[in-house]
Amino acid sequence: MLGGAVVVSFAMAPRAFAQGQNKAAGSTTPAAAPVGDLKAFPYLDSWLGIDATGRVTVFSGKAELGQGIMTALMQCAAEQLAVEPATITMVMASTARTVNEGYTAGSDSMNASGNAILQAAAQLRAVLVGWAAADLSTDPSRLTVADGVVTAPGGRRRSYGDLVQGRSLHMKADGAADLIPPPQYKIMGRDYPRLDIPPKLTGAPVFVQDMRPEGMVHARVVRPPNYGATLTSLDLSGVAALPGVLKVVHQGDYLAVAAEGEYQAIIAMRALQQAARWQVSKTLPDRTDIYASLKAMPATSQVIAHRGSGGTQPGSRVLQAAYRRPYVMHGAIGPSCAVALFEAGHTTVWTHSQGVYPLRAAIADMLSVPEDAVDCIQVQGSGCYGHNGADDAAADAALIAQSLPGRPVRVQWMREDEHGWEPYGSPMVAEVQASLGRDGMIDGWNYELWSMTFMTRPAKSANNLMPAWYIPARFGPPEGAEIPLPSGGGDRNAVPSYTLANEQVTYHYVKPMPLRVSALRSLGGYFNVFAIESFMDELAKAAHADPVAFRLKHLTDPRAKAVVELAAQKFGWDAAQRLPSGHGRGFAYVRYETIKAYCALAVEVSVDAATGQIRLRRAVAAVDSGNAVNPTGIKTQIQGCIVQAASWTLYESVDYSETEITSRDWSSYPILRFDAVPESVEVHVINRPASPSSAPERRAWGRRPRRSPMRWRMPQGCACATCRSRPQR
Amino acid sequence: MRRRWLAGLGIVLLVAVLAVLSFGLWARRPAIAQTAVPAPASFDHATIRQGARLVAAGYCIECHTAAGGQSYAGGYPVPTPFGTIYGSNITPDPTTGIGHWSEPAFVRAMRQGIARDGSHLYPAFPYTHFTRISNGDARAIYAYLMTLPPVRDRVPPPQLPFPLNVRPVMAGWNLLFFHEGRFKPKPDRSAQWNRGAYLAGGLGHCAACHSPRNIFGAENRREAYDGGQSEGWSAPALGRHSPAPLPWTKDELATYLSNGFVPTHGLAMGPMAGVTRQLAKLPPADVRAIATFVASLAPAPSADAAVAAAAAARAAYHVTTATAVAGRGPAKTGAAIFAGACASCHFEGGDQPFYRPVRLGLSSVVNEPDARDFVHIVMAGIQPPSGAAGRWMPPFGVALTDRQITLLAQYVRSHFSGKPGWTGIARAVSDARKEPGS
Amino acid sequence: MITLHVNGQDHAVEGDPATPLLYVLRNDLRLNGAKFGCGLGQCGACTVVVDDEPIFSCQVPISVLAGRRVTTLEGLGTEKEPGPLQKAFIAAQAAQCGYCIPGMIMRAHALLKRNATPSDDDIRRWMQPNLCRCGTHPRILDAIRTAAGRVS
Ligand code: FES
Ligand code: FES
């Protein structure tokens, strides 16, 4: 559940840091070769620019998504270049200006882009010092640098602005520059306030939704009633005559309308909806049986972990359980939006996509034009948490713009479009058995997992751009991809983060996608941790052990133990802890993607026995995500993850009938509101080079829900003691 | 205003007389001794489960749970014409709940409206209906409640004027208006009908809201189900006087009672929303039984009348999407408000299946003789409980002025309903403004 | 033509009287604070204050606003000089994507106008109509507490 939370720290310490940590404080650390995306794009001017006034521009192919990456990257550049943060301009994810860093996803932006900028900036500083030494005819080692000015002992100085005059920054990274080491940090490692917050809070046009280029028109799309519906008739007479309407786009089963005013576009869209007749067939699977049907679909099965003699051990006590989760949606608060301009054969798209280069390729494919006839420029949007409608909205804008050359076209989805058409997080099932030895240790573990793909992001082809399914060229069907471990897709964190002597983990990768699915925050990590950690508690109970002590017994990594102990201590977890009646507590631990951040979480929940309603009262997390560039950023993200995961776990489930998605707004797909926000959500950061993750598991009253959305279902409405302690289906 | 005041005076005088009488005659009821809180394990499963279904049939949780509070711990304010009464804590907490109540004490409360200590309960607790349930059912409810987790939570005392705050006065009230006695099945009716009549007339206490009451707050039995009110909402007539443009069928009633919505009539709202949320937990056969009974209250509709009414109601549903707003003056203003504030949901999107707005032409609320419910909904909106899915409407009480709400009401009534215009809209708006939370 | 009084200034607005305020604020007056979230009165992203009351601007036609005072996020302060509530949100770093925050600030603004010392419960109940998907709620609560002069 805590995916995406790692971006403001270095998940895997670059070599430079790994060494730096072990060295005496204050020493500089040479790096041997370019790291991160500097490997693929080794020229310094791909990452950094300095103009004659000394203003620095930092280019990153990663996108700011509200996770604070822009600020963290700025901190890296400012620190290593030794300039004031205020002199830096950040340019993020643009096919016109930045290198191709792929998707901003998988929580590795700091490794990829952060390391590149860190090293490039350190090298550039050395280069600038070298130039200053030449200009001032002195030895570089005698020069000092501060605030973008290089000063010689006598007070003679050269500013960066002076130094770059007539010189080119187009030089190769050598990976040999000295990084300013952590103990000397002035800007990194600090709670630097996020750059994007003040403008967002005072009404500056920060979001793509706020763009308003000269001559812009507003467009809305009319989608079919379901994925497979086809247009049978369309009476356009009324729509075209509506005030402000400029263009009705009707290509195959693709329908959209553009108008001068935004409300005019909405009125026209409604009229178009009424004017269109569709053939709708039953294409969705039976809602009542999604888990059985998930297991019955064609799948490729693979043992992804095997240790010792595998599963449960003969002669030991065997426990088993099954866990489930339904389709869950991203549910951005701001529906997807894009602006596109088609002019002189070139299409420019402003988008809140997480991957501008892959999107460009897909849009070029959709329009049947060469890639360089398209540019995609990332502009912030509403929080998306993975692959939502951003890319599709970009495709919509690009398509509609082709019919209105010279005029920027802004498309914003309506709420029902966002809810009904975004790709969801896959439903999942896990069946687990474990055996407990006489010593109270787990001596066998067998975990089987069913999940669809978590990867249908657009790449080369237009198949994964939903609007392209309906145009006459009929791209599609969408293609899912597997994501290899240790990152993993559905199987992310399916291998327990514990040291188990015998274990076997099998992943059934389910091919069909009757409902559209793709990357949703932490991919399979949320569910696997939910299942594993719930089962750890069941095992602890069976072993008559305290859940925290039981976990510690199965951990060897000292950093793992440290987060578990810290979370337990800050929570006040011990055998004597007294909770009010109807309250329970739960504990969870995970190492994200098995190699990244360590996270432990303790929660207190209350249960209303009569209604089964569960409330998260308090959460205490401990995180060790390595070298924290911006600790407040990490805390904010983990807090957000805890609250969002609580919402998934307690309330969320995409609803549908055989013909349609019926979760089309916040009333049919409710999420957590203020009344359910825990009284406190504490996050304690252990700051040293490394990454986070975990799902809160809940325990109250001895019975354990094994599916989300979670409710204390009384079997036939019975609240009696026996029924209460019987596990839910 | 003046009439109300006179009625009030009448009540006070009469009640005072009754009070004197009651003290001598009926007021004293013996207390039933406290017992130890029974162990949950002392009840068997089947009984507890039966109790769980029965508390759903009586939707007890609705009046015995405060907003945001623990279930059955009481504190829900029930506004009555006489003052506010708070639902009591009926969890087995020994000090603030009913932990020390024995089963006979509980059964007596259900059947006679007498608390364990012998004091009189107010008929906001509908013992006037519960008296009809069987002893077995009363015991099952007891078993269910006693196995809930105890919640310590003290409920505020009722806010009633003198002399109503003197509980023995209720003895006099009972003397006049309360008829103790169990349900007697009608042998000429089907078993399903009798089951429905038992549930609706006993635990369900439908008549408590759907019947007019006299100035003493007692149901007018001769006009049972002819429409009443509850918590400031009107509870429409269920029988021959039903305002629904289309006659209700048994199937529609069953759907409505368990889903809270049926496209041909609309949405359960106000206090009825909670009722349907609870009835949803009943076995379908019980819901059908209730529907059978309620449907029998109205004469069977002729097929032709139904078809004609449906056609008329559908024709009246016309989507206004701004620009097309016709007319002048106030009507135009009302139409513009509808177009800007309402039409984003209340329009039909052709084959787009996700637009299934309540058809205003068919809505009971729009067709009722009284504007009160319409005004309520517009001002307060409709929201399902937090975290639950359900029909939604945002509140417009602060966005629109009294005059604007009035114009909107006039527009909707004239545009969507074939009935004569409402009178007293402005009054309904200013009444609603005075309610807490509006 | 309708005259709207927004952030202390009169604006003459042409167009359909049924147009919801949100589109007029964003497109005609070029104010970015109020956001489109649902257009259904379910999320509060479009919240602005009218005569001291928070309203969903996506659901209020301009025809009903003649003679009433509209305050938007821009009316509370600027990037250079943020208002007290904006300052409190910045201090609490109460934003992730930040899309919901303008609506949050406006609703909180209306609360503090009527109740300068709200309890935690008051704040939660009052903020209930507004959704945040990023889970920024704890920080939003902190910011409102701080703005209300309560140490968090
Ligand atoms: S956009 Fe107005 S409430 Fe959601
Ligand atoms: S901060 Fe992203 S929705 Fe609230």
Side-chain angles (χ1 to χ4, degrees), chain A residues 65-66 194 200 207 331-334 381-385, chain C residues 94-102 104 131-137 140:
Chain A
L65 308 168
R194 259 173 49 198
K200 284 173 176 172
F207 298 99
I333 294 298
S382 175
C384 64
Y385 331 104
Chain C
Q96 288 182 65
C97 76
Y99 197 88
C100 70
I101 303 294
M104 295 283 179
L131 289 176
C132 173
R133 186 53 163 166
C134 296
T136 313
H137 308 73
I140 295 169

Side-chain angles (χ1 to χ4, degrees), chain A residues 579-584 605-609 613 615 699-701, chain B residues 70 149-150:
Chain A
L579 296 173
S581 125
H583 284 231
V605 299
S606 64
V607 180
D608 187 315
Q613 200 147 60
R615 250 200 81 175
R699 196 191 67 164
W701 287 53
Chain B
Q70 289 276 315

Side-chain angles (χ1 to χ4, degrees), chain C residues 35-39 41-46 56 58:
Chain C
K35 305 281 191 239
F36 176 85
C38 65
Q42 298 176 345
C43 76
C46 64
F56 301 124
C58 69

Side-chain angles (χ1 to χ4, degrees), chain A residues 673, chain C residues 41-44 56 107 124-131:
Chain A
R673 287 181 181 268
Chain C
Q42 298 176 345
C43 76
F56 301 124
R107 186 166 298 278
R124 280 166 190 265
R125 219 168 315 166
W126 183 263
M127 297 305 290
Q128 186 76 351
N130 285 35
L131 289 176

